[in-house]
Amino acid sequence: MSTRELLRASIAHTPANPFKESQALQTFEDGGLLIQDGRILAVGSYHEIAAMAPEAAVTDWRGGFIVPGFVDAHVHFPQMRVIGSLGHSLFEWLARVALPEESRMADEAYATDTAQRFVHHLAAHGTTTALVFGAHFETATAALFDAAARAGLRIVSGLVLSDRSLRPELHQSPEEAYQQSTRLIRRYHQHGRLRYAVTPRFAVSASEGMLDVCQTLMREHEHLGFQTHLNENSCEVTDVDRQFPWARDYFGVYERFGLCGPRAVMAHSVWTTAGELERLAASRTAVAHCPCSNAALGSGMFPLRPHIEAGVHVALGTDVGGGTGFSLLKEGLQAYLTQRLMPHGFGLTAAHVLYLATRAGAEALGLDDVGDFRSGQAADFVYIRPGAHDVLGDVLARAGTLDQAVAAIFTLGGREHVREVRVAGSVVFRSAFSDAR
Ligand code: GUN
Ligand code: ZN
């Protein structure tokens, strides 16, 4: 039997859904997380867990925090280098910024370098699982899967499919899309920590023939994910209405081809109607809320309360590069701030933002064994620690409760506070900052 490791720090996780249950946040001031063979054996107060496992090797991270690995439910790997191009709305940004960069992914060396850097940035920000838009090119999408496998992250991704409205070099025919996707599915789906998601870019750039191919792929392979964009921008919604006159609404286009259900994640959902919300919930299709992107692209304010009241499952996405960076901490804060500013916004608490940044994403992806610290779960976690002289440290020293500490971490925490990241117990990132303990 391999040795057991006992990690000692303040611990916070959400073993329950705070949108449904009032006591969803579980915290331990002087906590212990006992792990073995990549799994969590127990979580609790340090002394209680230490008594259960007196022989365990103790990793002493007192003064720091352990939270579950972050789950990014919507992010684009080929857009890593165009983060921060402010001042555009969706279609203009796609045409001028995002799509030209995505065309560069035809160059295998450039794509491979981008994929490696992208995966490193995910890990360095504490993201252990991500649902990633691949590239429009097979070799570039393969490069992402290869980089993720080497780094040890849990990545769900797929070739981005489009056959109209973008740039000619980004289009495939439905036949090519089928063949290339099938090869990638055979090569990567359910290999180690990788999974495949069928990925039409959005209805605007997909013909009915392409959506039909997506449906065929979903039928031909078990346990595939599905990802696309939905109701992000009001002009986009108008375009979809024009292009699919038979559909009752935007979601109705995907529904018609069976592209909904558990393990399907729709990004944005800013302009979704009451009827669509009802059907999203009934089909158990999840929504990736990307508040930094929605603000940066001026897409609109996400109606979280109607989603929750309708029973739609919501997770968080950074939407790099329309979004403003890789941090799920920042995304959680922006979600909170957006709701504060909205009429009838949802009053998010520390429990909600931690849940949204961790377990909610795992649930959206259908990954039952990550996202919290219940025993038997995979040991995916982030060690967060303030520096000796930074504001977060000063605030945490005064925080009266761990609820307040979690809120402060989302408010002030960043990549510089991420000291170590593990997936299934193995280190996938360790900070080089000199005052890391
Ligand atoms: N809709 C279609 N493609 C994209 C994209 O790359 N980013 C965002 N934010 N929306 C999209
Ligand atoms: Zn996106």
Side-chain angles (χ1 to χ4, degrees), residues 168-188:
E169 69 273 21
L170 296 179
H171 296 158
Q172 320 96 327
S173 67
E175 295 72 29
E176 288 165 337
Y178 176 78
Q179 283 161 8
Q180 295 172 7
S181 302
T182 302
R183 279 198 294 267
L184 288 167
I185 291 166
R186 294 208 176 114
R187 196 164 151 196
Y188 295 110

Side-chain angles (χ1 to χ4, degrees), residues 337-389:
L337 295 173
T338 305
Q339 295 305 312
R340 290 290 289 171
L341 288 172
M342 280 176 81
H344 313 296
F346 193 105
L348 292 171
T349 64
H352 291 110
V353 291
L354 182 62
Y355 168 78
L356 284 169
T358 57
R359 186 176 157 166
E363 288 171 351
L365 300 184
L367 300 175
D368 301 334
D369 64 344
V370 297
D372 62 57
F373 293 148
R374 287 169 300 158
S375 62
Q377 298 291 81
D380 291 13
F381 57 85
V382 189
Y383 167 37
I384 292 173
R385 186 185 187 88
H389 305 290

Side-chain angles (χ1 to χ4, degrees), residues 147-411:
R150 264 197 304 277
L153 298 192
R154 298 183 199 278
I155 294 293
V156 186
S157 187
L159 180 71
V160 184
L161 307 178
S162 288
D163 61 348
R164 63 181 182 188
S165 308
L166 304 181
R167 298 154 63 98
E169 69 273 21
L170 296 179
H171 296 158
Q172 320 96 327
S173 67
E175 295 72 29
E176 288 165 337
Y178 176 78
Q179 283 161 8
Q180 295 172 7
S181 302
T182 302
R183 279 198 294 267
L184 288 167
I185 291 166
R186 294 208 176 114
R187 196 164 151 196
Y188 295 110
H189 182 49
Q190 296 183 313
H191 286 220
R193 296 172 187 157
L194 308 178
R195 295 202 182 187
Y196 196 89
V198 174
T199 309
R201 188 168 198 120
F202 58 164
V204 172
S205 67
S207 68
E208 292 181 32
M210 187 62 95
L211 295 169
D212 208 44
V213 162
C214 294
Q215 181 166 37
T216 304
L217 291 167
M218 296 298 292
R219 282 187 179 144
E220 286 183 353
H221 306 271
E222 285 193 335
H223 306 302
L224 287 181
F226 177 82
Q227 60 180 336
T228 191
H229 296 92
L230 173 74
N231 288 321
E232 175 178 6
N233 170 289
S234 54
C235 302
E236 170 202 12
V237 178
T238 309
D239 265 23
V240 171
D241 283 348
R242 213 181 39 243
Q243 289 180 7
F244 300 91
W246 47 261
R248 58 174 142 165
D249 47 38
Y250 195 158
F251 183 56
V253 176
Y254 299 131
E255 264 180 322
R256 156 78 181 74
F257 295 92
L259 304 175
C260 51
R263 292 195 306 277
V265 180
M266 310 274 160
H268 303 298
S269 191
V270 172
W271 299 95
T272 299
T273 62
E276 288 173 296
L277 286 176
E278 208 174 284
R279 283 148 43 224
L280 279 165
S283 62
R284 294 173 47 219
T285 304
V287 161
H289 169 35
C290 309
C292 290
S293 167
N294 293 163
L297 293 173
S299 302
M301 302 233 216
F302 178 68
L304 177 59
R305 184 180 292 285
H307 279 72
I308 298 301
E309 287 176 359
V312 179
H313 183 75
V314 177
L316 269 189
T318 61
D319 197 26
V320 160
T324 61
F326 283 87
S327 175
L328 265 301
L329 294 174
K330 179 162 72 169
E331 215 62 52
L333 176 65
Q334 184 73 21
Y336 165 82
L337 295 173
T338 305
Q339 295 305 312
R340 290 290 289 171
L341 288 172
M342 280 176 81
H344 313 296
F346 193 105
L348 292 171
T349 64
H352 291 110
V353 291
L354 182 62
Y355 168 78
L356 284 169
T358 57
R359 186 176 157 166
E363 288 171 351
L365 300 184
L367 300 175
D368 301 334
D369 64 344
V370 297
D372 62 57
F373 293 148
R374 287 169 300 158
S375 62
Q377 298 291 81
D380 291 13
F381 57 85
V382 189
Y383 167 37
I384 292 173
R385 186 185 187 88
H389 305 290
D390 65 24
V391 183
L392 179 60
D394 291 344
V395 172
L396 289 178
R398 287 277 285 115
T401 65
L402 283 194
D403 276 46
Q404 288 167 4
V406 170
I409 287 169
F410 273 89
T411 305

Side-chain angles (χ1 to χ4, degrees), residues 108-174:
E108 192 176 342
Y110 186 71
T112 301
D113 183 59
T114 307
Q116 287 167 355
R117 289 171 189 273
F118 172 84
V119 165
H120 170 79
H121 294 320
L122 287 178
H125 285 81
T127 299
T128 51
T129 299
L131 176 59
V132 183
F133 259 62
H136 287 269
F137 306 100
E138 185 179 353
T139 49
T141 305
L144 172 73
F145 279 120
D146 290 337
R150 264 197 304 277
L153 298 192
R154 298 183 199 278
I155 294 293
V156 186
S157 187
L159 180 71
V160 184
L161 307 178
S162 288
D163 61 348
R164 63 181 182 188
S165 308
L166 304 181
R167 298 154 63 98
E169 69 273 21
L170 296 179
H171 296 158
Q172 320 96 327
S173 67

